[in-house]
Structures are given as structure tokens and as C-alpha cells.
Coordinates of all heavy atoms in Angstrom, one line a residue:
M22 N 29.5 -25.2 -38.1 CA 30.2 -26.5 -38.0 C 29.2 -27.6 -37.8 O 28.5 -27.5 -36.8 CB 31.3 -26.5 -36.9 CG 32.2 -25.3 -36.9 SD 33.1 -24.9 -38.4 CE 33.7 -26.4 -38.9
A23 N 29.2 -28.6 -38.6 CA 28.3 -29.7 -38.4 C 29.0 -31.0 -38.4 O 29.6 -31.4 -39.4 CB 27.2 -29.7 -39.4
Y24 N 29.1 -31.7 -37.3 CA 29.7 -33.0 -37.1 C 28.6 -34.0 -36.8 O 27.6 -33.6 -36.2 CB 30.7 -33.0 -36.0 CG 31.7 -31.9 -36.0 CD1 31.7 -30.9 -35.1 CD2 32.7 -32.0 -37.0 CE1 32.6 -29.9 -35.2 CE2 33.7 -30.9 -37.0 CZ 33.6 -29.9 -36.1 OH 34.5 -28.9 -36.2
A25 N 28.7 -35.2 -37.2 CA 27.8 -36.3 -36.8 C 28.6 -37.4 -36.1 O 29.6 -37.8 -36.6 CB 27.1 -36.8 -38.0
K26 N 28.0 -37.8 -35.0 CA 28.6 -39.0 -34.3 C 27.8 -40.2 -34.5 O 26.6 -40.2 -34.3 CB 28.8 -38.7 -32.8 CG 29.5 -39.8 -32.1 CD 29.8 -39.5 -30.7 CE 30.6 -40.7 -30.1 NZ 30.9 -40.4 -28.6
L27 N 28.4 -41.2 -35.1 CA 27.7 -42.5 -35.3 C 27.7 -43.3 -34.0 O 28.8 -43.6 -33.5 CB 28.3 -43.2 -36.5 CG 27.7 -44.5 -36.9 CD1 26.3 -44.2 -37.4 CD2 28.5 -45.1 -38.0
R28 N 26.5 -43.5 -33.4 CA 26.5 -44.2 -32.1 C 25.4 -45.3 -32.1 O 24.5 -45.2 -32.9 CB 26.0 -43.2 -31.0 CG 26.7 -41.9 -30.9 CD 26.1 -41.0 -29.9 NE 25.9 -41.8 -28.6 CZ 25.5 -41.3 -27.5 NH1 25.2 -40.0 -27.5 NH2 25.3 -42.0 -26.4
A29 N 25.7 -46.2 -31.3 CA 24.7 -47.3 -31.0 C 24.2 -48.0 -32.3 O 23.0 -48.3 -32.4 CB 23.5 -46.7 -30.2
L30 N 25.1 -48.3 -33.2 CA 24.8 -49.1 -34.4 C 24.8 -50.6 -33.9 O 25.8 -51.1 -33.5 CB 25.8 -48.9 -35.5 CG 25.7 -49.7 -36.7 CD1 24.4 -49.3 -37.5 CD2 26.9 -49.5 -37.6
A31 N 23.7 -51.2 -34.1 CA 23.6 -52.6 -33.6 C 22.7 -53.4 -34.6 O 21.7 -52.9 -35.1 CB 23.0 -52.7 -32.2
V32 N 23.1 -54.6 -34.9 CA 22.3 -55.5 -35.7 C 22.2 -56.9 -34.9 O 23.2 -57.4 -34.4 CB 23.0 -55.8 -37.1 CG1 22.2 -56.8 -37.9 CG2 23.1 -54.5 -37.8
A33 N 21.0 -57.4 -34.7 CA 20.8 -58.6 -34.0 C 21.6 -59.8 -34.6 O 21.8 -59.8 -35.9 CB 19.4 -59.0 -33.9
D34 N 22.1 -60.7 -33.8 CA 23.0 -61.8 -34.3 C 22.4 -62.5 -35.5 O 23.1 -62.8 -36.4 CB 23.3 -62.8 -33.2 CG 24.2 -62.2 -32.1 OD1 24.9 -61.2 -32.4 OD2 24.2 -62.7 -31.0
D35 N 21.1 -62.8 -35.4 CA 20.4 -63.6 -36.5 C 20.4 -62.8 -37.8 O 20.1 -63.5 -38.9 CB 19.0 -63.9 -36.1 CG 19.0 -65.0 -35.0 OD1 20.0 -65.6 -34.7 OD2 17.9 -65.1 -34.4
Y36 N 20.6 -61.5 -37.8 CA 20.5 -60.7 -39.0 C 21.9 -60.2 -39.5 O 21.9 -59.4 -40.5 CB 19.5 -59.6 -38.8 CG 18.2 -60.1 -38.6 CD1 17.7 -60.3 -37.3 CD2 17.3 -60.5 -39.6 CE1 16.4 -60.8 -37.0 CE2 16.1 -61.0 -39.4 CZ 15.6 -61.2 -38.1 OH 14.4 -61.7 -37.9
R37 N 23.0 -60.6 -38.9 CA 24.3 -60.1 -39.3 C 24.7 -60.8 -40.6 O 24.2 -61.8 -41.0 CB 25.3 -60.4 -38.2 CG 25.0 -59.5 -37.0 CD 26.1 -59.6 -36.0 NE 25.7 -58.7 -34.9 CZ 26.3 -58.6 -33.7 NH1 27.3 -59.4 -33.5 NH2 25.9 -57.8 -32.8
R38 N 25.7 -60.1 -41.3 CA 26.2 -60.6 -42.5 C 25.2 -60.5 -43.7 O 25.3 -61.3 -44.6 CB 26.9 -61.9 -42.4 CG 27.8 -62.0 -41.2 CD 29.1 -62.7 -41.3 NE 29.8 -62.7 -42.6 CZ 30.8 -61.8 -42.9 NH1 31.2 -60.9 -42.1 NH2 31.4 -61.9 -44.0
Q39 N 24.3 -59.6 -43.6 CA 23.3 -59.5 -44.6 C 23.3 -58.0 -45.2 O 22.4 -57.7 -46.0 CB 21.9 -59.8 -44.1 CG 21.7 -61.2 -43.6 CD 20.3 -61.4 -43.1 OE1 19.3 -60.8 -43.5 NE2 20.2 -62.3 -42.1
G40 N 24.3 -57.2 -44.8 CA 24.4 -55.9 -45.3 C 23.6 -54.8 -44.6 O 23.5 -53.7 -45.0
I41 N 23.0 -55.2 -43.5 CA 22.2 -54.3 -42.7 C 23.0 -53.2 -42.1 O 22.6 -52.0 -42.2 CB 21.3 -55.0 -41.7 CG1 20.4 -56.0 -42.3 CG2 20.6 -54.0 -40.8 CD1 19.7 -56.9 -41.4
A42 N 24.1 -53.5 -41.5 CA 25.0 -52.5 -40.9 C 25.5 -51.5 -42.0 O 25.5 -50.3 -41.8 CB 26.1 -53.1 -40.1
S43 N 25.9 -52.1 -43.1 CA 26.3 -51.2 -44.2 C 25.2 -50.3 -44.7 O 25.5 -49.1 -45.0 CB 26.8 -52.1 -45.4 OG 28.1 -52.6 -45.1
A44 N 24.0 -50.8 -44.8 CA 22.9 -49.9 -45.2 C 22.6 -48.9 -44.2 O 22.4 -47.7 -44.6 CB 21.7 -50.8 -45.4
L45 N 22.7 -49.2 -42.9 CA 22.5 -48.2 -41.9 C 23.6 -47.1 -41.9 O 23.3 -45.9 -41.8 CB 22.5 -48.9 -40.5 CG 21.3 -49.7 -40.2 CD1 21.5 -50.5 -38.9 CD2 20.0 -48.9 -40.1
I46 N 24.8 -47.5 -42.1 CA 25.9 -46.5 -42.2 C 25.7 -45.6 -43.4 O 25.8 -44.4 -43.3 CB 27.3 -47.2 -42.2 CG1 27.6 -47.9 -40.9 CG2 28.4 -46.2 -42.6 CD1 28.8 -48.8 -40.9
T47 N 25.4 -46.2 -44.5 CA 25.2 -45.4 -45.8 C 24.1 -44.4 -45.6 O 24.2 -43.3 -46.0 CB 25.0 -46.4 -46.9 OG1 26.1 -47.2 -47.1 CG2 24.7 -45.6 -48.2
R48 N 23.0 -44.9 -45.0 CA 21.8 -44.0 -44.8 C 22.1 -42.9 -43.8 O 21.7 -41.7 -44.0 CB 20.6 -44.8 -44.4 CG 19.4 -44.1 -44.3 CD 18.9 -43.6 -45.6 NE 17.6 -42.9 -45.4 CZ 17.4 -41.7 -46.0 NH1 18.2 -41.2 -46.9 NH2 16.2 -41.1 -45.8
A49 N 22.8 -43.2 -42.7 CA 23.2 -42.2 -41.7 C 24.0 -41.1 -42.4 O 23.8 -39.9 -42.1 CB 23.9 -42.9 -40.6
M50 N 25.0 -41.5 -43.2 CA 25.9 -40.5 -43.8 C 25.0 -39.6 -44.8 O 25.2 -38.4 -44.8 CB 27.0 -41.2 -44.6 CG 28.1 -41.8 -43.7 SD 29.6 -42.2 -44.5 CE 29.0 -43.6 -45.6
A51 N 24.1 -40.2 -45.5 CA 23.3 -39.5 -46.4 C 22.4 -38.5 -45.7 O 22.3 -37.3 -46.1 CB 22.4 -40.4 -47.3
I52 N 21.8 -38.9 -44.6 CA 20.9 -38.0 -43.8 C 21.7 -36.9 -43.3 O 21.3 -35.7 -43.4 CB 20.2 -38.8 -42.7 CG1 19.2 -39.7 -43.3 CG2 19.6 -37.9 -41.7 CD1 18.6 -40.8 -42.3
H53 N 22.8 -37.1 -42.7 CA 23.6 -36.1 -42.1 C 24.2 -35.1 -43.2 O 24.3 -33.9 -43.0 CB 24.7 -36.6 -41.2 CG 24.1 -37.2 -39.9 ND1 23.6 -36.4 -39.0 CD2 24.0 -38.4 -39.5 CE1 23.1 -37.1 -38.0 NE2 23.4 -38.4 -38.3
R54 N 24.6 -35.7 -44.3 CA 25.1 -34.8 -45.4 C 24.0 -33.9 -45.9 O 24.2 -32.7 -46.1 CB 25.6 -35.7 -46.6 CG 26.6 -35.2 -47.4 CD 27.2 -36.1 -48.4 NE 26.5 -37.3 -48.8 CZ 26.8 -38.5 -48.5 NH1 27.9 -38.8 -47.8 NH2 26.1 -39.6 -48.8
D55 N 22.7 -34.4 -46.0 CA 21.6 -33.6 -46.4 C 21.3 -32.5 -45.4 O 20.8 -31.4 -45.7 CB 20.3 -34.4 -46.5 CG 20.4 -35.3 -47.7 OD1 21.3 -35.2 -48.6 OD2 19.5 -36.2 -47.8
H56 N 21.7 -32.7 -44.1 CA 21.6 -31.7 -43.1 C 22.9 -30.9 -42.9 O 23.1 -30.3 -41.8 CB 21.1 -32.3 -41.8 CG 19.6 -32.7 -41.9 ND1 19.3 -33.9 -42.3 CD2 18.5 -32.0 -41.6 CE1 17.9 -34.0 -42.3 NE2 17.5 -32.8 -41.9
R57 N 23.7 -30.9 -43.9 CA 24.9 -30.1 -43.9 C 26.1 -30.5 -43.0 O 27.0 -29.7 -42.7 CB 24.6 -28.6 -43.8 CG 23.6 -28.1 -44.8 CD 23.6 -26.6 -44.9 NE 22.5 -26.1 -45.7 CZ 22.4 -26.2 -47.1 NH1 23.3 -26.8 -47.7 NH2 21.4 -25.7 -47.7
A58 N 26.0 -31.7 -42.5 CA 27.2 -32.2 -41.7 C 28.3 -32.5 -42.7 O 28.0 -32.9 -43.9 CB 26.8 -33.5 -40.9
F59 N 29.5 -32.3 -42.3 CA 30.6 -32.6 -43.3 C 31.6 -33.6 -42.7 O 32.5 -34.0 -43.4 CB 31.3 -31.3 -43.7 CG 32.1 -30.7 -42.6 CD1 33.5 -31.0 -42.4 CD2 31.5 -29.9 -41.6 CE1 34.2 -30.5 -41.4 CE2 32.3 -29.3 -40.6 CZ 33.6 -29.6 -40.5
F60 N 31.4 -34.1 -41.5 CA 32.4 -34.9 -40.8 C 31.6 -35.9 -39.9 O 30.8 -35.5 -39.1 CB 33.4 -34.1 -40.0 CG 34.6 -34.8 -39.6 CD1 35.7 -35.0 -40.4 CD2 34.7 -35.3 -38.3 CE1 36.8 -35.7 -40.0 CE2 35.8 -36.0 -37.8 CZ 36.9 -36.2 -38.7
M61 N 32.0 -37.2 -40.0 CA 31.3 -38.2 -39.1 C 32.4 -38.9 -38.4 O 33.5 -39.2 -38.9 CB 30.5 -39.2 -39.9 CG 29.8 -40.2 -39.1 SD 28.6 -41.2 -40.1 CE 27.2 -40.1 -40.0
Y62 N 32.1 -39.3 -37.1 CA 33.1 -40.0 -36.3 C 32.3 -40.9 -35.3 O 31.1 -40.8 -35.2 CB 34.0 -39.0 -35.6 CG 33.3 -38.2 -34.5 CD1 33.5 -38.6 -33.1 CD2 32.5 -37.1 -34.8 CE1 32.8 -37.9 -32.1 CE2 31.9 -36.4 -33.8 CZ 32.1 -36.8 -32.5 OH 31.4 -36.1 -31.5
G63 N 33.1 -41.7 -34.6 CA 32.5 -42.6 -33.6 C 33.6 -43.4 -32.9 O 34.8 -43.1 -33.2
Q64 N 33.2 -44.3 -32.1 CA 34.2 -45.1 -31.4 C 33.6 -46.5 -31.3 O 32.4 -46.8 -31.3 CB 34.5 -44.5 -30.1 CG 33.3 -44.4 -29.1 CD 33.5 -43.2 -28.3 OE1 33.5 -42.1 -28.8 NE2 33.6 -43.4 -27.0
F65 N 34.5 -47.5 -31.1 CA 34.1 -48.9 -30.9 C 35.2 -49.6 -30.0 O 36.3 -49.0 -29.8 CB 34.0 -49.6 -32.2 CG 35.3 -49.7 -33.0 CD1 36.0 -50.8 -33.0 CD2 35.7 -48.6 -33.8 CE1 37.2 -50.9 -33.8 CE2 36.8 -48.6 -34.6 CZ 37.6 -49.8 -34.6
T66 N 34.9 -50.8 -29.5 CA 35.8 -51.5 -28.7 C 37.0 -51.9 -29.5 O 36.9 -52.4 -30.6 CB 35.1 -52.8 -28.2 OG1 33.9 -52.4 -27.5 CG2 36.0 -53.6 -27.3
A67 N 38.2 -51.6 -28.9 CA 39.4 -51.7 -29.7 C 39.7 -53.1 -30.2 O 40.3 -53.3 -31.3 CB 40.6 -51.3 -28.8
E68 N 39.2 -54.2 -29.5 CA 39.5 -55.5 -30.0 C 38.6 -56.0 -31.1 O 38.7 -57.1 -31.6 CB 39.4 -56.5 -28.8 CG 40.4 -56.3 -27.7 CD 40.0 -55.2 -26.7 OE1 38.8 -55.1 -26.5 OE2 40.9 -54.5 -26.2
D69 N 37.6 -55.2 -31.5 CA 36.6 -55.7 -32.5 C 37.1 -55.5 -33.9 O 36.8 -54.5 -34.5 CB 35.3 -55.0 -32.2 CG 34.1 -55.7 -32.9 OD1 34.4 -56.4 -33.9 OD2 33.0 -55.6 -32.4
A70 N 37.9 -56.4 -34.4 CA 38.5 -56.3 -35.8 C 37.4 -56.3 -36.8 O 37.6 -55.6 -37.9 CB 39.4 -57.5 -36.0
A71 N 36.2 -57.0 -36.6 CA 35.2 -57.0 -37.6 C 34.6 -55.6 -37.8 O 34.3 -55.1 -38.9 CB 34.1 -58.0 -37.2
L72 N 34.4 -54.8 -36.7 CA 33.9 -53.5 -36.8 C 34.9 -52.6 -37.5 O 34.6 -51.7 -38.3 CB 33.6 -52.9 -35.4 CG 32.1 -53.2 -34.9 CD1 31.9 -52.6 -33.6 CD2 31.1 -52.8 -35.9
A73 N 36.2 -52.8 -37.2 CA 37.2 -52.0 -37.8 C 37.2 -52.2 -39.3 O 37.2 -51.2 -40.1 CB 38.6 -52.3 -37.3
R74 N 37.0 -53.4 -39.8 CA 36.9 -53.7 -41.2 C 35.7 -53.1 -41.8 O 35.7 -52.5 -42.9 CB 36.9 -55.2 -41.5 CG 38.2 -55.9 -41.3 CD 38.2 -57.3 -41.9 NE 37.2 -58.2 -41.2 CZ 37.4 -58.8 -40.0 NH1 38.6 -58.7 -39.4 NH2 36.4 -59.5 -39.5
L75 N 34.5 -53.2 -41.1 CA 33.3 -52.6 -41.6 C 33.5 -51.1 -41.8 O 33.1 -50.5 -42.9 CB 32.2 -52.8 -40.6 CG 30.8 -52.1 -40.9 CD1 30.2 -52.7 -42.2 CD2 29.9 -52.2 -39.7
Y76 N 34.0 -50.4 -40.8 CA 34.1 -48.9 -40.9 C 35.2 -48.6 -42.0 O 35.0 -47.6 -42.8 CB 34.5 -48.3 -39.6 CG 33.4 -48.4 -38.6 CD1 33.6 -48.9 -37.3 CD2 32.1 -48.0 -38.9 CE1 32.6 -49.0 -36.4 CE2 31.0 -48.1 -38.0 CZ 31.3 -48.6 -36.7 OH 30.3 -48.7 -35.8
R77 N 36.2 -49.3 -42.1 CA 37.2 -49.1 -43.1 C 36.6 -49.2 -44.5 O 36.9 -48.5 -45.4 CB 38.4 -50.0 -42.9 CG 39.7 -49.6 -43.7 CD 40.9 -50.5 -43.3 NE 41.4 -50.0 -42.0 CZ 41.5 -50.8 -40.9 NH1 41.1 -52.1 -41.0 NH2 42.0 -50.3 -39.8
R78 N 35.8 -50.3 -44.7 CA 35.1 -50.5 -46.0 C 34.3 -49.3 -46.4 O 34.0 -49.0 -47.6 CB 34.2 -51.7 -46.0 CG 34.9 -53.0 -46.3 CD 34.0 -54.1 -46.6 NE 32.8 -54.3 -45.8 CZ 32.7 -55.0 -44.7 NH1 33.8 -55.7 -44.3 NH2 31.6 -55.1 -44.0
H79 N 33.8 -48.5 -45.4 CA 33.0 -47.3 -45.7 C 33.8 -46.1 -45.7 O 33.2 -45.0 -45.7 CB 31.8 -47.2 -44.7 CG 30.8 -48.2 -44.9 ND1 29.8 -48.0 -45.8 CD2 30.6 -49.5 -44.4 CE1 29.0 -49.1 -45.9 NE2 29.5 -50.0 -45.1
G80 N 35.1 -46.2 -45.8 CA 36.0 -45.1 -46.0 C 36.4 -44.3 -44.8 O 37.0 -43.3 -44.8
F81 N 36.1 -44.9 -43.6 CA 36.5 -44.3 -42.4 C 38.0 -44.6 -42.1 O 38.5 -45.7 -42.4 CB 35.7 -44.8 -41.2 CG 34.3 -44.3 -41.2 CD1 33.3 -45.1 -41.7 CD2 34.0 -43.1 -40.5 CE1 32.0 -44.6 -41.7 CE2 32.7 -42.7 -40.5 CZ 31.7 -43.4 -41.1
T82 N 38.7 -43.6 -41.5 CA 40.0 -43.8 -41.0 C 39.9 -44.4 -39.6 O 39.0 -43.9 -38.8 CB 40.8 -42.5 -40.8 OG1 40.9 -41.9 -42.1 CG2 42.1 -42.6 -40.1
I83 N 40.6 -45.5 -39.3 CA 40.6 -46.1 -38.0 C 41.8 -45.6 -37.2 O 42.9 -45.8 -37.6 CB 40.6 -47.7 -38.1 CG1 39.5 -48.2 -39.1 CG2 40.5 -48.3 -36.7 CD1 38.1 -47.9 -38.7
H84 N 41.5 -45.0 -36.1 CA 42.6 -44.4 -35.3 C 43.1 -45.4 -34.3 O 42.4 -46.3 -34.0 CB 42.1 -43.1 -34.6 CG 41.5 -42.1 -35.5 ND1 42.3 -41.1 -36.0 CD2 40.3 -41.9 -36.1 CE1 41.6 -40.4 -36.9 NE2 40.4 -40.8 -36.9
A85 N 44.3 -45.3 -33.9 CA 45.0 -46.2 -33.0 C 44.2 -46.2 -31.7 O 43.6 -45.1 -31.3 CB 46.4 -45.8 -32.8
P86 N 44.2 -47.3 -30.9 CA 43.5 -47.3 -29.6 C 44.0 -46.1 -28.8 O 45.2 -45.9 -28.7 CB 43.9 -48.7 -29.0 CG 44.1 -49.5 -30.2 CD 44.8 -48.6 -31.3
G87 N 43.0 -45.4 -28.2 CA 43.4 -44.3 -27.3 C 43.6 -43.0 -28.0 O 43.7 -41.9 -27.4
E88 N 43.8 -43.0 -29.4 CA 44.1 -41.8 -30.1 C 42.8 -41.0 -30.3 O 41.8 -41.5 -30.8 CB 44.7 -42.1 -31.5 CG 45.0 -40.9 -32.3 CD 45.5 -41.4 -33.7 OE1 45.7 -42.5 -34.0 OE2 45.6 -40.5 -34.6
P89 N 42.8 -39.7 -30.0 CA 41.6 -38.8 -30.3 C 41.4 -38.5 -31.7 O 42.3 -38.7 -32.6 CB 41.9 -37.6 -29.5 CG 43.4 -37.5 -29.5 CD 43.9 -38.9 -29.5
V90 N 40.2 -38.1 -32.0 CA 39.9 -37.6 -33.4 C 39.9 -36.1 -33.3 O 39.3 -35.5 -32.3 CB 38.5 -38.1 -33.8 CG1 38.0 -37.3 -35.0 CG2 38.4 -39.6 -34.1
I91 N 40.5 -35.5 -34.3 CA 40.5 -34.0 -34.3 C 39.3 -33.6 -35.2 O 39.2 -34.0 -36.4 CB 41.8 -33.4 -34.9 CG1 43.0 -33.9 -34.0 CG2 41.7 -31.9 -35.0 CD1 42.9 -33.5 -32.6
L92 N 38.4 -32.9 -34.6 CA 37.2 -32.4 -35.4 C 37.6 -31.0 -36.0 O 37.9 -30.1 -35.3 CB 36.0 -32.2 -34.5 CG 35.6 -33.5 -33.7 CD1 34.5 -33.2 -32.7 CD2 35.2 -34.6 -34.7
P93 N 37.7 -31.0 -37.3 CA 38.2 -29.8 -38.0 C 37.4 -28.5 -37.7 O 36.2 -28.6 -37.7 CB 38.3 -30.1 -39.5 CG 37.6 -31.4 -39.6 CD 37.3 -32.0 -38.3
G94 N 38.1 -27.4 -37.5 CA 37.5 -26.2 -37.3 C 37.4 -25.4 -38.6 O 37.4 -26.0 -39.6
S95 N 37.3 -24.1 -38.4 CA 37.2 -23.2 -39.6 C 37.9 -21.9 -39.3 O 38.6 -21.8 -38.3 CB 35.7 -22.9 -39.9 OG 35.2 -22.1 -38.9
S96 N 37.7 -20.9 -40.1 CA 38.4 -19.7 -39.9 C 37.8 -19.0 -38.6 O 38.5 -18.2 -38.0 CB 38.2 -18.7 -41.1 OG 36.9 -18.5 -41.3
R97 N 36.6 -19.3 -38.2 CA 36.0 -18.8 -37.0 C 36.1 -19.6 -35.8 O 36.1 -19.1 -34.7 CB 34.5 -18.6 -37.3 CG 34.2 -17.5 -38.3 CD 32.7 -17.3 -38.5 NE 32.2 -16.7 -37.2 CZ 30.9 -16.6 -37.0 NH1 30.0 -17.1 -37.8 NH2 30.5 -16.0 -35.9
Y98 N 36.3 -20.9 -36.0 CA 36.3 -21.9 -34.9 C 37.6 -22.7 -34.9 O 37.9 -23.2 -36.0 CB 35.1 -22.8 -34.9 CG 33.8 -22.0 -34.8 CD1 33.0 -21.8 -35.9 CD2 33.3 -21.5 -33.6 CE1 31.9 -21.1 -35.9 CE2 32.1 -20.8 -33.5 CZ 31.4 -20.6 -34.7 OH 30.2 -19.9 -34.6
R99 N 38.2 -22.9 -33.8 CA 39.4 -23.8 -33.8 C 39.0 -25.2 -33.8 O 37.9 -25.6 -33.5 CB 40.3 -23.4 -32.6 CG 39.6 -23.3 -31.3 CD 40.6 -22.9 -30.2 NE 40.7 -24.1 -29.4 CZ 41.2 -24.2 -28.2 NH1 41.8 -23.1 -27.7 NH2 41.3 -25.3 -27.6
D100 N 40.0 -26.1 -34.1 CA 39.8 -27.5 -34.1 C 39.5 -28.0 -32.6 O 40.0 -27.3 -31.7 CB 41.1 -28.3 -34.5 CG 41.4 -28.0 -36.0 OD1 40.5 -27.5 -36.7 OD2 42.5 -28.4 -36.4
V101 N 38.8 -29.0 -32.5 CA 38.5 -29.6 -31.2 C 38.8 -31.1 -31.3 O 38.8 -31.6 -32.4 CB 37.1 -29.3 -30.6 CG1 36.9 -27.8 -30.4 CG2 36.0 -29.9 -31.6
G102 N 38.9 -31.7 -30.2 CA 39.1 -33.2 -30.2 C 38.1 -34.0 -29.5 O 37.3 -33.5 -28.6
A103 N 37.9 -35.2 -29.9 CA 37.0 -36.2 -29.3 C 37.9 -37.4 -28.9 O 38.6 -37.9 -29.8 CB 35.9 -36.6 -30.2
S104 N 37.9 -37.8 -27.7 CA 38.7 -38.9 -27.2 C 37.9 -40.1 -26.9 O 36.8 -40.0 -26.3 CB 39.5 -38.4 -25.9 OG 40.3 -37.4 -26.2
P105 N 38.5 -41.3 -27.2 CA 37.8 -42.5 -26.8 C 37.9 -42.8 -25.3 O 38.8 -42.3 -24.6 CB 38.6 -43.6 -27.6 CG 39.9 -43.0 -27.7 CD 39.8 -41.5 -27.8
L106 N 37.0 -43.7 -24.9 CA 37.1 -44.2 -23.5 C 38.2 -45.2 -23.5 O 38.6 -45.8 -24.5 CB 35.8 -44.8 -23.1 CG 34.6 -43.8 -23.0 CD1 33.3 -44.5 -22.8 CD2 34.8 -42.8 -21.9
P107 N 38.7 -45.6 -22.3 CA 39.7 -46.7 -22.2 C 39.2 -47.9 -22.9 O 38.0 -48.3 -22.7 CB 39.9 -46.9 -20.7 CG 39.5 -45.6 -20.1 CD 38.4 -45.0 -21.0
G108 N 40.1 -48.6 -23.7 CA 39.7 -49.8 -24.4 C 39.0 -49.6 -25.7 O 38.5 -50.5 -26.3
E109 N 38.8 -48.3 -26.1 CA 38.1 -48.0 -27.3 C 39.1 -47.4 -28.3 O 40.1 -46.9 -28.0 CB 36.9 -47.1 -27.1 CG 35.8 -47.7 -26.3 CD 34.7 -46.8 -26.1 OE1 34.8 -45.6 -26.2 OE2 33.6 -47.3 -25.9
Q110 N 38.6 -47.3 -29.6 CA 39.3 -46.6 -30.6 C 38.3 -45.8 -31.5 O 37.1 -46.2 -31.5 CB 40.3 -47.4 -31.4 CG 39.7 -48.5 -32.2 CD 40.8 -49.4 -32.7 OE1 41.0 -50.5 -32.2 NE2 41.6 -49.0 -33.7
M111 N 38.7 -44.8 -32.1 CA 37.9 -43.9 -32.9 C 38.0 -44.2 -34.3 O 39.0 -44.8 -34.8 CB 38.3 -42.4 -32.7 CG 38.4 -42.0 -31.2 SD 36.8 -41.9 -30.3 CE 36.1 -40.5 -31.1
F112 N 36.9 -43.8 -35.1 CA 36.9 -43.8 -36.5 C 36.4 -42.5 -37.0 O 35.6 -41.9 -36.3 CB 36.1 -45.0 -37.1 CG 34.7 -45.1 -36.7 CD1 33.7 -44.4 -37.4 CD2 34.3 -45.7 -35.5 CE1 32.4 -44.5 -37.1 CE2 33.0 -45.8 -35.1 CZ 32.0 -45.1 -35.9
S113 N 36.8 -42.1 -38.2 CA 36.3 -40.8 -38.7 C 36.5 -40.7 -40.2 O 37.3 -41.4 -40.8 CB 37.1 -39.6 -38.0 OG 38.4 -39.7 -38.4
R114 N 35.7 -39.7 -40.8 CA 35.8 -39.4 -42.2 C 35.0 -38.2 -42.5 O 34.1 -37.9 -41.8 CB 35.4 -40.6 -43.1 CG 33.9 -40.9 -43.0 CD 33.4 -41.8 -44.2 NE 33.3 -41.0 -45.4 CZ 32.9 -41.5 -46.5 NH1 32.7 -42.7 -46.7 NH2 32.8 -40.7 -47.6
T115 N 35.3 -37.6 -43.6 CA 34.5 -36.5 -44.2 C 33.3 -37.2 -44.9 O 33.5 -38.3 -45.4 CB 35.2 -35.6 -45.1 OG1 35.8 -36.4 -46.2 CG2 36.3 -34.8 -44.4
I116 N 32.2 -36.5 -44.9 CA 31.0 -37.1 -45.6 C 30.4 -36.2 -46.6 O 30.5 -35.1 -46.7 CB 29.9 -37.5 -44.5 CG1 29.5 -36.4 -43.7 CG2 30.4 -38.7 -43.7 CD1 28.3 -36.7 -42.8

């Protein structure tokens, strides 16, 4: 089972709206796919509508605030969950 958690994605204020975050997300997905990960997830501050739009544009499902992500298992391993901290929400997708 190979999952990838997208964490600590940041772009300095002066460099935002130039496609850098999108390039980072795309590259992270490619790297993890090459290493046989099949599912990516993460979390962000629930009030950040811009981040929700960014992740949605990259095909992520945006989960309701407080809703956990179910990390799919297999015939050998059962599903597990990842829960957001208070005030956060999760995003996830297959990669």
C-alpha cells in the first residue's frame, strides 16, 4: 500500500498566481506515482477557499470540514482513516 501525503506546500506572496503551486502539485504526484503510490491526500485550513479551488482544479475531492479521508486498503489490508485537526479539512484523490 503506498499513500502520499501532500504537506507544507507554500509559495511566497510575491510569487503567487504564477502557476508555481500547480507545478509543485503536478510534480509531487508524478514523483509519487513513479514510486508506486496510488493515492494522495492532505489537509488545509477550512476557511481557505483559494486552496480548496487549487486542489479541486487538480482533481482532488475536497472533504467537508472535520470529515476524515478513508485510505483504501486491499485484500490483505483493511481501510484506514486520516482525520483533520480542528479547523481543517482534507483533500484526496487517486494518482
Side-chain angles (χ1 to χ4, degrees):
M22 308 311 310
Y24 309 108
K26 184 173 185 183
L27 187 59
R28 311 178 45 177
L30 176 67
V32 177
D34 290 341
D35 291 346
Y36 296 94
R37 291 188 178 169
R38 310 221 35 94
Q39 296 179 32
I41 295 169
S43 287
L45 290 170
I46 292 169
T47 299
R48 185 69 179 132
M50 286 192 297
I52 288 168
H53 288 291
R54 208 174 17 248
D55 289 348
H56 286 90
R57 303 197 191 286
F59 71 94
F60 192 82
M61 183 173 273
Y62 70 101
Q64 61 212 65
F65 62 99
T66 303
E68 295 85 31
D69 198 332
L72 275 179
R74 283 191 304 275
L75 173 68
Y76 293 129
R77 196 173 281 117
R78 275 198 315 268
H79 285 277
F81 288 93
T82 297
I83 306 301
H84 301 270
E88 179 185 353
V90 168
I91 303 303
L92 304 174
S95 68
S96 59
R97 293 183 68 191
Y98 302 100
R99 47 181 250 190
D100 294 351
V101 295
S104 296
L106 296 171
E109 293 183 336
Q110 63 191 105
M111 307 292 289
F112 59 92
S113 65
R114 67 165 282 178
T115 57
I116 54 173

